Amino acid sequence: TFSHAQVTMKVSPALSNVSVDDIFTVTIEIESNTAQTQQIDGGEVHLNFDTTFLEVQSLTAGSALPVQLIAPMFDNAEGTVDYAAGIFSGFPPAPIDLISIEFKAKAETQGTDLTYEFTVPARNTSVTFGGQVILNTTENGVVEIGPASNCPTTPASSSFNATIEQGQSFSFGGQTLTLAGTYTDSLTTPDGCDSLRILTLSVVPPA
């Protein structure tokens, strides 16, 4: 019976490695601990984060539990995310995505935790089915934040033209080109940033 199956609530990915000012997303997932199918009729998550290092940008509720019992909410002063949802029929089996959280990295750290709250009744993380709590374990998330990138958001690019005669070839970015067109080559600058070279190649009849 369903009472023998248990589920885990986890932060995915378990480890996020980002840079200061990066925007990144983690998802709260509910997975079965066994091979047995486990249906779910309710999920409630109360997540804590350190506001020194992280700031929530947005929340996106999952579609598996469409009835919102606690609307998606976050508090960047307190460092909290709260959400609860359920369903009255057509109970989805685990695994499901409960909610996705978009964070902004604020400051460098070797690791800051995303942890669950279990304070009854106000902020009690839980998963249920048929009136029973089926949440067995939780898995926290960790965010490692490195220094801000000095690279521009849009890679620097340079463009040039070349012309060859029919029957000739042109070497560009490890390719041997014989047809007219526009070609792009990706490079890495000495400081580790992306750069693009854009070639417009023309082909003319032999002289």
Side-chain angles (χ1 to χ4, degrees):
T1 64
F2 66 82
S3 61
H4 297 302
Q6 303 292 316
V7 297
T8 294
M9 184 179 292
K10 61 187 290 188
V11 177
S12 180
L15 174 63
S16 297
N17 195 310
V18 299
S19 301
V20 172
D21 293 330
D22 279 357
I23 305 295
F24 66 99
T25 299
V26 301
T27 300
I28 305 302
E29 300 178 350
I30 300 172
E31 295 185 347
S32 177
N33 290 346
T34 70
Q36 180 181 354
T37 298
Q38 175 60 66
Q39 292 177 308
I40 297 167
D41 64 16
E44 181 171 350
V45 60
H46 301 280
L47 200 72
N48 300 323
F49 62 92
D50 191 332
T51 60
T52 303
F53 305 109
L54 297 172
E55 179 180 273
V56 174
Q57 302 293 290
S58 66
L59 303 175
T60 303
S63 59
L65 301 175
V67 181
Q68 294 188 3
L69 306 174
I70 299 175
M73 64 180 68
F74 61 87
D75 188 329
N76 280 325
E78 296 294 330
T80 58
V81 173
D82 300 288
Y83 178 63
I87 193 170
F88 299 118
S89 61
F91 308 114
I96 67 168
D97 293 344
L98 184 58
I99 192 169
S100 294
I101 308 165
E102 185 180 66
F103 283 107
K104 180 179 181 179
K106 295 172 59 180
E108 293 180 44
T109 174
Q110 294 183 347
T112 183
D113 294 332
L114 305 174
T115 61
Y116 300 92
E117 182 78 24
F118 297 95
T119 302
V120 179
R123 301 189 71 232
N124 185 32
T125 296
S126 182
V127 181
T128 60
F129 182 67
Q132 295 193 29
V133 175
I134 57 173
L135 179 62
N136 184 42
T137 57
T138 55
E139 296 180 7
N140 296 339
V142 177
V143 182
E144 297 177 352
I145 306 175
S149 172
N150 293 320
C151 298
T153 303
T154 302
S157 63
S158 59
S159 302
F160 68 100
N161 301 321
T163 301
I164 59 173
E165 294 183 354
Q166 290 176 351
Q168 295 180 333
S169 62
F170 188 89
S171 295
F172 175 72
Q175 305 175 76
T176 300
L177 308 175
T178 59
L179 300 176
T182 301
Y183 302 90
T184 301
D185 183 29
S186 298
L187 304 173
T188 300
T189 64
D191 56 0
C193 298
D194 292 332
S195 177
L196 298 176
R197 287 195 307 161
I198 303 170
L199 164 68
T200 300
L201 182 63
S202 300
V203 179
V204 298

